[in-house]
Amino acid sequence: MNWLLVGASNVAHEWIVPAIRAIGDEVISIVSGHLERAQDFAHRHDISNFSTDLNQALSHEEIDAVYISSTNSLHFEQAIAALKAKKHVMCEKPMALSITDAKEMIFQAEVNQVVLGVNYHLRNSAVIKKMRELIVSDAIGDVLTIRFCHAVSLPEKLQSWRINTPAEGGVVLDITVHDIDTLRFLLDDEPISVSAMAQTGLISPNNIPETVMGTIAFAKGTLVSFYDSFTVQYFQTSIDVIGTKGTLLARNTLTQHAVGELQLNNIHGTQTIDIKNENLYVSSLQKFKNATQNRGQPAATAYDGLRSLEVSLAIQQAIINKTNVLAVTGE
């Protein structure tokens, strides 16, 4: 397939262009709000066309698919334009900033008979996929609780709108939204209520949440505590899953890199699980490509994107209200 990139982003530069080419596709055009950024990106990646005009770029018939990695507030408008142009769309998270907009994106994909996926790359982590497999196989019994720690030190080059623009959502719509999707994938279950509190003031000049801690209750009874941050140095991300028959301990796996370790503890003792790590983005783009050829679904569907957004917005509301919020059921 031939791809159009929307947004000259860091993730597109480091991960998406190489992943697209790794599956045998090509990037033939880049659109950015700044012509200089588009031109520089095109030159660095040997892309033939660059522009600031999305509609003009979408008018080219040779474009099969669009990858959107602009700022969060632009996702909806840009995705709608691409979907109406009958292009398949892979959108960065969050897919939109409102439930209404996310549902309209899903509607337009259906009407125009194209594939809409959301790039929740952690679903493609070999460690996380193995954890899901072990949970399904009853290796640790029923899952009672999970401790989810997704705290990082946000590099200065990535801060900008993430900490300066309140509408973009801060840590919740950048990191917590990933947690929710990963937890739904691990548990094959839906959140039903959330609670949360936030900290700010270390790097954000506008009181945007930089750190959030809270709980999520799932329909089948699992209770999750989560800790997400932009401001933590010298920390290793982790997922601890506690079941009735054992535990799963994952370390250094909430990352873009093909890394991570997994330990299983149960009646048979402590076992380090052998993991064959693989590029998360190559897996994500290959599944998306397969979906455009009627061979399965994207790793994270548009519905998955909607559910993660719904729960993230509930968490934002819980921070404001300082109380529990019932998450939307997705019905």
Side-chain angles (χ1 to χ4, degrees):
M1 295 196 300
N2 290 324
W3 286 77
L4 162 66
L5 303 186
V6 181
S9 65
N10 185 73
V11 66
H13 165 63
E14 291 190 8
W15 299 103
I16 298 301
V17 173
I20 286 174
R21 290 172 174 165
I23 65 171
D25 289 352
E26 189 50 81
V27 179
I28 65 171
S29 187
I30 168 76
V31 169
S32 173
H34 303 278
L35 185 60
E36 296 80 8
R37 283 177 61 88
Q39 183 178 28
D40 179 64
F41 193 100
H43 288 167
R44 281 189 293 165
H45 292 283
D46 194 25
I47 298 170
S48 54
N49 300 296
F50 58 90
S51 172
T52 59
D53 191 332
L54 175 59
N55 289 326
Q56 182 184 45
L58 289 170
S59 70
H60 296 292
E61 293 185 0
E62 64 268 27
I63 298 292
D64 302 302
V66 178
Y67 168 75
I68 297 173
S69 62
S70 53
T71 59
N72 294 344
S73 58
L74 297 177
H75 290 178
F76 169 69
E77 179 182 349
Q78 293 169 340
I80 290 295
L83 294 166
K84 288 184 175 180
K86 299 187 184 301
K87 310 298 185 183
H88 303 295
V89 174
M90 170 70 85
C91 187
E92 272 300 328
K93 51 72 197 167
M95 63 190 294
L97 293 180
S98 76
I99 296 169
T100 298
D101 286 353
K103 288 182 176 179
E104 177 64 18
M105 289 167 65
I106 293 172
F107 173 75
Q108 290 296 333
E110 293 173 348
V111 167
N112 292 288
Q113 298 183 319
V114 290
V115 175
L116 172 60
V118 185
N119 193 27
Y120 285 109
H121 62 276
L122 291 175
R123 283 177 171 247
N124 301 291
S125 160
V127 173
I128 290 170
K129 288 191 290 187
K130 176 58 72 171
M131 293 176 76
R132 175 183 164 106
E133 178 185 317
L134 289 167
I135 290 170
V136 170
S137 69
D138 200 42
I140 61 168
D142 295 331
V143 178
L144 300 174
T145 57
I146 296 178
R147 182 172 61 182
F148 206 100
C149 297
H150 196 170
V152 300
S153 178
L154 185 67
E156 186 173 350
K157 66 180 180 180
L158 298 182
Q159 292 180 7
S160 60
W161 53 269
R162 288 177 172 85
I163 63 167
N164 288 297
T165 310
E168 301 291 352
V171 70
V172 175
L173 291 184
D174 199 69
I175 292 182
T176 310
V177 70
H178 271 300
D179 300 356
I180 297 158
D181 184 73
T182 304
L183 288 161
R184 289 182 64 249
F185 176 73
L186 278 176
L187 296 171
D188 192 23
D189 195 10
E190 294 292 347
I192 56 172
S193 66
V194 301
S195 64
M197 299 181 72
Q199 289 178 332
T200 189
L202 287 180
I203 59 175
S204 172
N206 295 320
N207 294 317
I208 295 170
E210 303 164 349
T211 295
V212 59
M213 299 183 73
T215 58
I216 307 172
F218 279 77
K220 297 176 185 176
T222 303
L223 185 62
V224 176
S225 69
F226 65 94
Y227 164 46
D228 302 328
S229 183
F230 283 157
T231 62
V232 176
Q233 300 185 58
Y234 317 114
F235 184 79
Q236 194 173 68
T237 64
S238 62
I239 310 173
D240 297 340
V241 183
I242 295 89
T244 55
K245 299 178 183 177
T247 60
L248 291 170
L249 309 178
R251 296 292 180 268
N252 194 31
T253 190
L254 298 173
T255 172
Q256 295 169 298
H257 297 275
V259 297
E261 301 172 352
L262 179 61
Q263 184 182 94
L264 167 64
N265 302 300
N266 59 17
I267 195 171
H268 304 292
T270 297
Q271 178 184 359
T272 298
I273 304 298
D274 185 41
I275 300 293
K276 184 179 180 180
N277 289 302
E278 55 188 19
N279 187 298
L280 283 66
Y281 291 95
V282 172
S283 296
S284 182
L285 269 295
Q286 185 62 63
K287 289 176 182 176
F288 181 84
K289 180 178 180 178
N290 291 348
T292 68
Q293 299 169 347
N294 296 313
R295 296 187 290 124
Q297 292 184 322
T301 66
Y303 176 76
D304 292 320
L306 171 63
R307 287 297 292 134
S308 294
L309 176 62
E310 288 173 331
V311 181
S312 294
L313 294 178
I315 288 171
Q316 286 187 325
Q317 195 61 49
I319 292 170
I320 295 169
N321 294 346
K322 295 181 173 60
T323 186
N324 288 7
V325 173
L326 183 67
V328 179
T329 63
E331 295 179 356

